[in-house]
Amino acid sequence: MPKSVEIKPLIEIDALMAEIAALGRISEAEPPVVTRVVFSEADLRGRAYVKGLCQAAGLTLREDAVGNTFFRWTAPATDLSLAPVATGSHIDAIPNAGAYDGVVGVLGGLEAIRALQRSGFQPRRPIELVLFTAEEPTRFGIGCLGSRLMGGVLSPAKAVTLRDKEGRGLEELRHQAGFAGELESVLLHAGHFHAFVELHIEQGPLLERETIDLGIVTHIAAPASLKVLIEGEGGHAGAMLMPARHDALAAAAELILTLESAAKSTGVLDTVATVGVCEVFPGAVNSVPSRVRLETDIRDTDSARRDGVVAKLKSDGEEVAARRGVRITFETVNADPPAACDSLILDAIEESVKVSGLTGKRMVSRAYHDTLFVARFAPAAMIFIPCRGGVSHRPDEYSSPEWIAGGVETLARTLAKLAD
């Protein structure tokens, strides 16, 4: 386990909360709504704001070909030949979101570095803050775009085929945003980071409900995302008789309930499944639906259990298709393996929680984060702080100054242990 480092990080929480609020006002929607889709004008303004803060703290900057941004702190005692210790998260936000998801990990990570600077700490290893590109799937339909490329999970050849709903491709949009170079250069190899720790709001109710200050994340669930197309036969709602119908929406309804039942049948709370998109054609009240498109999200900390839910959905889909006389096709968008967090980093976090005088518990993350893909090439872990009511991805998302300060102090102490 990393040796104990005696530091006293002073967290300037009022200034940090003001920075979080200021970034929250950089949005494509009126406050308190935060919408910051990757490569949008608001995203680029948000990035510029973060860059300004980091440059004011004396950090050096590097951007890769897809916009992942690395801010590095070195001190006179730093050995530049050593792999850095890193922290970070994302600032892109889905439509109608809040101000804390991802942002706490970026601006809180910056404040952790500034607190170490104020304490007089001299890191032996460089410490980096990483701003990841497109953690949210809003634009291209796939989450963690930047960290997937970084970890070699998404190939450059596949990445260049990505399009948004307007048909604009990744290549066009990244170059327009000012990010040049070959996508192959985004890949980072094993050993690039000595360790990586992400600070994040829990996005769930457990810490607040149990009045625990911090979560020490041991495992990160991974998603299987599928697109499902159901094709039936449309017609006039009055003239098409019930025995002769091949209603695509009725078949889709059965599939949605099948997925819910399959997830519940595992008997494990870590299994969750959602149909978040249901597009019906032609979408007229007096027309029998002829086509439905679903998008599903199935997650678990155990990949075999998650894949069992996927298999159940597909097998039941075959039965529904045969019985209802419709055609059902499944397209797997991604099926990523879950990640186990590094035991030495977990020990360092746990010790830092105690030294900070806070309470913590080991827990899993059912949401996935950039750390899931960083764990492919570096030892990694996460720190959770509570969020009010477990609410996230909504304008009323909130984490208190006390919760944030506790998380940042613990992060600062952990980074110091790992970098010493």
Side-chain angles (χ1 to χ4, degrees), residues 161-223:
T161 68
L162 296 175
R163 296 283 185 274
D164 67 11
K165 292 180 179 178
E166 284 72 47
R168 303 181 70 189
L170 172 62
E171 289 294 271
E172 174 193 350
L173 289 165
R174 74 180 178 94
H175 282 104
Q176 182 178 299
F179 302 118
E182 299 298 321
L183 288 180
E184 286 80 3
S185 67
V186 177
L187 177 69
L188 298 181
H189 297 285
H192 181 87
F193 292 137
H194 175 67
F196 178 84
V197 187
E198 182 175 4
L199 177 67
H200 207 281
I201 60 171
E202 181 193 355
Q203 298 182 293
L206 299 182
L207 292 174
E208 183 187 33
R209 184 182 298 164
E210 299 173 27
T211 63
I212 294 172
D213 298 314
L214 296 167
I216 304 162
V217 177
T218 60
H219 293 81
I220 304 170

Side-chain angles (χ1 to χ4, degrees), residues 9 11 13 199 207 210-216 348-362 383-386 400-414:
I11 310 304
I13 191 60
L199 177 67
L207 292 174
E210 299 173 27
T211 63
I212 294 172
D213 298 314
L214 296 167
I216 304 162
I349 296 171
E350 204 155 53
E351 182 182 330
S352 298
V353 171
K354 292 175 182 176
V355 173
S356 300
L358 301 170
T359 57
K361 68 172 286 184
R362 295 199 173 204
I383 300 169
F384 276 172
I385 61 172
S400 73
E402 294 75 21
W403 289 335
I404 294 173
V408 173
E409 179 179 349
T410 299
L411 176 62
R413 293 184 185 277
T414 302

Side-chain angles (χ1 to χ4, degrees), residues 104-121:
V104 166
V106 174
L107 296 183
L110 172 59
E111 177 59 16
I113 292 172
R114 293 185 300 208
L116 292 177
Q117 291 174 332
R118 289 190 288 266
S119 75
F121 175 70

Side-chain angles (χ1 to χ4, degrees), residues 64-101:
D64 70 16
V66 81
N68 293 314
T69 307
F70 305 80
F71 304 97
R72 174 174 282 212
W73 174 43
T74 60
T78 302
D79 184 344
L80 299 181
S81 69
L82 297 177
V85 170
T87 187
S89 195
H90 66 99
I91 66 165
D92 64 310
I94 68 169
N96 200 49
Y100 298 85
D101 175 19

Side-chain angles (χ1 to χ4, degrees), residues 283-367:
V285 68
N286 62 343
S287 181
V288 176
S290 60
R291 185 172 70 245
V292 174
R293 190 177 71 86
L294 305 177
E295 292 187 19
T296 71
D297 181 300
I298 305 161
R299 306 186 188 203
D300 206 315
T301 54
D302 182 287
S303 55
R305 195 165 53 219
R306 180 204 64 195
D307 293 346
V309 174
V310 174
K312 175 66 171 172
L313 176 65
K314 290 182 175 180
S315 64
D316 282 17
E318 292 177 0
E319 188 276 328
V320 170
R323 175 166 42 83
R324 288 188 169 272
V326 299
R327 182 169 177 262
I328 300 177
T329 54
F330 295 89
E331 176 193 350
T332 299
V333 178
N334 58 271
D336 305 301
C341 294
D342 182 79
S343 61
L344 292 180
I345 301 178
L346 294 175
D347 290 343
I349 296 171
E350 204 155 53
E351 182 182 330
S352 298
V353 171
K354 292 175 182 176
V355 173
S356 300
L358 301 170
T359 57
K361 68 172 286 184
R362 295 199 173 204
M363 62 191 302
V364 303
S365 172
R366 294 181 182 86

Side-chain angles (χ1 to χ4, degrees), residues 243-260:
R245 290 194 179 194
H246 305 287
D247 187 323
L249 183 55
E254 285 201 49
L255 280 188
I256 293 169
L257 293 176
T258 287
L259 181 59
E260 180 185 54

